């Protein structure tokens, strides 16, 4: 695994999210007439800084990148010249202070809306929501779902892609109830399946929800015929040629390309007898898959590509696109639903209904950043939109030191008609720091556990 394949996408995504968040604070502060002294991406010693603007604001890029801040003129943090008192943050009416603090999370939500809108309007290639059942005693099998069923809607909500289906199922699983799937069977008949999600557990991040239901994405049976042989690869060294069809693998028959891939992955560095059909001849060869590191696990690769002429891709994927107006509505709905789901997940973690192992830290997020970047720009931008929403929700939590904690203070100030005493705010800050430290500790612990377990 190349560390930079994960680190660079993570840094770029994190930098963009922090920049947008802090720009929200900065722009609304300037609009409210508050003087901004410093705008920093990151904490600690500056790696790069410069001064610009009529207010001589210091712009900085600091060494510790997990955050940022906008420092405003404030009597609580230093002396303020009498001529500039009207520009101090603490002198502003509570409504303006509320707007300045809320602007950061709101900017993150707006970024998500813009990214989703752009993706929905331009169109993305997505896996079709076509189903395969994994076992006879699963909720999916009980519902009568059959291999090849294409989901058209869930409870009258249209579904056009596999990621969209996963999202809808997750939302309904939190409600723990039965849902109706409108499907088109492999024979082209439209019908309905009742899938009971009552009792389906949202696991600790180690198993996918759809797997718990007893479903996986449908795959067409692709014959194990070679289309391309990579020069210098294990297949080329063994004498494999384009057009060869695998008949047997270590004495066992092969009927699909997916079977070949799975068996090769399990036999890294081992000598295997394979039988291939080449024209009218059957030829036996010795094949030793190369051992390749894949996310900390050694897997076998032989350096050959399938010869399916793109037929399997056409059967599996479809371009999902919406008009500009419909795309905007879809983007707003996606951002809202993701925010609500995030709050539900946090609430159920607090009540113990969902494991804290679902909480992810920077290591897991960096892993997802790298994986999404490898899949293409569209997937990477969806990842950024999702993390941007998560950042917005996190910052709105009523925890002192976070934006949500300050907003809570301002709501109390509005209700009681005056500011909260400084001593109470200091105690709140200390409690908030402890809560935030515990949250980060849980996240890092989960990251380390996932690394160790692979």
């Amino acid at each position: 695994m190349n560390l930079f394949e994960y680190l660079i996408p993570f840094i770029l995504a994190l930098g963009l999210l922090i920049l947008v968040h802090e720009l929200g604070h900065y722009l609304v502060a300037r609009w409210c007439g508050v003087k901004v002294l410093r705008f920093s991406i990151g904490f600690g010693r500056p790696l790069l800084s410069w001064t610009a603007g009529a207010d001589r604001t210091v712009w900085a890029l600091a060494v510790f990148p997990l955050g940022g801040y906008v420092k405003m003129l404030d009597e609580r943090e230093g002396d303020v010249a009498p001529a500039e008192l009207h520009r101090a943050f603490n002198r502003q009416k509570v409504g303006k202070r509320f707007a300045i603090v809320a602007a950061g999370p709101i900017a993150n939500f707006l970024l998500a809306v813009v990214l989703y809108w752009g993706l929905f309007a331009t169109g993305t290639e997505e896996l079709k929501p076509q189903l395969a059942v994994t076992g006879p005693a699963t909720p999916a099998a009980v519902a009568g779902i059959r291999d090849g069923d294409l989901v058209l809607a869930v409870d009258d909500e249209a579904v056009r892609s596999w990621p969209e289906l996963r999202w809808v199922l997750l939302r309904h699983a939190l409600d723990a109830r039965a849902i109706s799937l409108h499907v088109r069977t492999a024979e082209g008949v439209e019908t309905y399946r009742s899938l009971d999600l009552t009792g389906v557990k949202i696991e600790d991040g180690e198993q996918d929800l759809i797997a718990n239901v007893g479903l996986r994405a449908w795959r067409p049976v692709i014959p194990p015929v070679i289309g391309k042989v990579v020069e210098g690869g294990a297949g080329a060294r063994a004498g494999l040629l384009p057009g060869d069809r695998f008949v047997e693998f270590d004495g066992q028959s092969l009927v699909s390309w997916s079977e070949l891939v799975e068996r090769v992955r399990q036999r890294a560095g081992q000598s295997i007898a394979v039988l291939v059909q080449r024209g009218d001849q059957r030829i036996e060869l010795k094949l030793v898959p190369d051992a390749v590191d894949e996310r900390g696990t050694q897997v076998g690769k032989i350096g050959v590509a399938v010869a399916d002429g793109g037929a399997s891709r056409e059967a599996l994927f479809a371009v999902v696109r919406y008009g500009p107006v419909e795309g905007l509505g879809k983007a707003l709905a996606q951002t809202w639903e993701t925010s609500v789901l995030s709050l539900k997940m946090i609430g159920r973690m607090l009540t113990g209904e969902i494991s804290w192992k679902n909480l992810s830290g920077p290591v897991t997020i960096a892993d997802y950043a790298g994986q999404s970047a490898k899949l293409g720009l569209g997937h990477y931008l969806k990842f950024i939109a999702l993390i941007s929403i998560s950042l917005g929700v996190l910052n709105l939590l009523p925890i002192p030191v976070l934006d949500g904690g300050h907003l809570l203070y301002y709501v109390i100030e509005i209700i009681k008609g005056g500011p909260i005493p400084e001593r109470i705010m200091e105690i709140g800050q200390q409690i908030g720091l402890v809560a935030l430290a515990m949250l980060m500790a849980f996240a890092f612990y989960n990251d380390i556990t996932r690394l160790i377990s692979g």
Side-chain angles (χ1 to χ4, degrees):
M1 179 181 68
N2 187 343
L3 180 62
F4 289 100
E5 290 181 353
Y6 295 85
L7 192 59
I8 291 175
F10 173 63
I11 291 174
L12 289 175
L14 188 63
L16 174 63
L17 297 180
I18 295 170
L19 175 63
V20 168
H21 182 93
E22 301 305 334
L23 272 177
H25 292 311
Y26 172 81
L27 293 173
V28 176
R30 291 294 305 272
W31 179 68
C32 291
V34 175
K35 183 176 181 178
V36 177
L37 304 177
R38 190 178 188 88
F39 184 109
S40 178
I41 302 297
F43 301 105
R45 183 173 61 86
L47 297 173
L48 181 67
S49 67
W50 67 96
T51 303
D55 288 334
R56 309 304 294 162
T57 301
V58 177
W59 299 75
L61 183 63
V63 66
F64 191 65
L66 295 178
Y69 64 93
V70 171
K71 183 178 180 181
M72 290 167 273
L73 191 67
D74 196 311
E75 291 177 282
R76 298 167 297 182
E77 297 181 9
D79 295 332
V80 178
E84 291 193 312
L85 284 174
H86 68 287
R87 301 194 65 193
F89 176 79
N90 65 292
R91 290 287 183 113
Q92 306 304 311
K93 292 182 178 179
V94 66
K96 285 188 176 182
R97 282 180 278 136
F98 192 101
I100 293 169
V101 172
I106 290 173
N108 286 122
F109 294 132
L110 289 176
L111 173 63
V113 171
V114 170
L115 291 176
Y116 281 135
W117 189 16
L119 289 168
F120 292 149
T122 57
T124 55
E125 189 179 52
E126 301 284 3
L127 191 65
K128 293 180 181 179
Q130 201 157 4
L131 307 176
V133 181
T134 60
T138 60
V142 173
I145 294 172
R146 295 162 53 192
D147 289 353
D149 280 356
L150 178 68
V151 179
L152 304 176
V154 177
D155 280 355
D156 296 325
E157 180 180 349
V159 172
R160 298 175 61 178
S161 69
W162 183 260
E164 195 171 2
L165 173 63
R166 290 183 56 175
W167 173 251
V168 173
L169 288 182
L170 177 59
R171 279 172 30 216
H172 289 305
L174 284 172
D175 296 331
R177 63 182 184 84
I179 58 174
S180 175
L181 301 181
H182 180 194
V183 303
R184 181 184 297 124
T185 67
E187 296 76 27
V189 178
E190 292 192 18
T191 186
Y192 292 85
R193 318 283 195 203
S194 180
L195 179 61
D196 189 1
L197 297 178
T198 304
V200 174
K201 299 293 184 183
I202 299 175
E203 298 291 346
D204 57 9
E206 297 174 2
Q207 189 175 15
D208 184 40
L209 169 67
I210 283 190
N212 290 336
V213 175
L215 292 171
R216 62 174 176 80
W218 175 83
R219 295 285 187 274
V221 177
I222 305 171
V225 180
I226 297 174
K228 179 182 178 182
V229 179
V230 177
E231 185 177 351
R237 295 195 301 270
L240 292 172
L241 298 175
D244 286 350
R245 180 187 182 117
F246 286 90
V247 178
E248 290 184 359
F249 186 93
D250 211 14
Q252 296 180 320
S253 62
L254 277 175
V255 296
S256 71
W257 186 265
S258 60
E259 283 184 325
L260 171 67
V261 172
E262 187 59 34
R263 294 183 189 181
V264 166
R265 287 174 63 86
Q266 296 173 1
R267 303 292 293 274
Q270 300 178 31
S271 179
I272 306 154
V274 296
L275 183 67
V276 299
Q277 184 81 36
R278 183 178 296 168
D280 296 330
Q281 295 181 309
R282 287 196 170 189
I283 302 171
E284 188 170 316
L285 301 170
K286 289 293 183 182
L287 182 64
V288 182
D290 293 326
V292 178
D293 184 84
E294 190 174 280
R295 298 180 64 192
T297 303
Q298 294 289 313
V299 299
K301 296 288 179 74
I302 60 174
V304 298
V306 66
D308 70 337
S312 63
R313 188 168 192 86
E314 291 179 7
L316 286 171
F317 291 88
V319 175
V320 179
R321 182 182 290 110
Y322 299 88
V325 176
E326 187 183 6
L328 177 58
K330 183 77 175 174
L332 289 167
Q334 182 72 42
T335 302
W336 171 256
E337 290 170 0
T338 304
S339 303
V340 171
L341 182 65
S342 298
L343 288 172
K344 284 184 178 180
M345 293 285 284
I346 292 170
R348 298 197 178 189
M349 284 183 196
L350 291 173
T351 59
E353 295 178 61
I354 295 177
S355 172
W356 281 89
K357 291 183 180 180
N358 284 286
L359 193 65
S360 298
V363 177
T364 300
I365 295 172
D367 182 24
Y368 291 157
Q371 291 185 51
S372 64
K374 285 181 179 180
L375 290 172
L377 180 61
H379 292 279
Y380 183 55
L381 293 179
K382 283 185 179 179
F383 162 79
I384 293 176
L386 179 61
I387 300 301
S388 190
I389 294 170
S390 299
L391 183 61
V393 170
L394 176 65
N395 271 281
L396 285 178
L397 294 179
I399 300 174
V401 312
L402 295 179
D403 292 334
H406 293 288
L407 294 177
L408 177 62
Y409 290 152
Y410 301 149
V411 170
I412 295 173
E413 181 178 340
I414 292 170
I415 294 172
K416 71 186 289 287
I420 296 174
E422 288 288 333
R423 180 55 184 162
I424 293 178
M425 293 182 67
E426 288 175 7
I427 295 172
Q429 295 291 96
Q430 294 169 359
I431 295 172
L433 285 170
V434 171
L436 201 58
M438 291 176 62
L439 198 65
M440 290 298 295
F442 268 117
F444 274 112
Y445 173 79
N446 290 341
D447 282 350
I448 293 168
T449 302
R450 291 184 184 114
L451 283 175
I452 293 172
S453 65

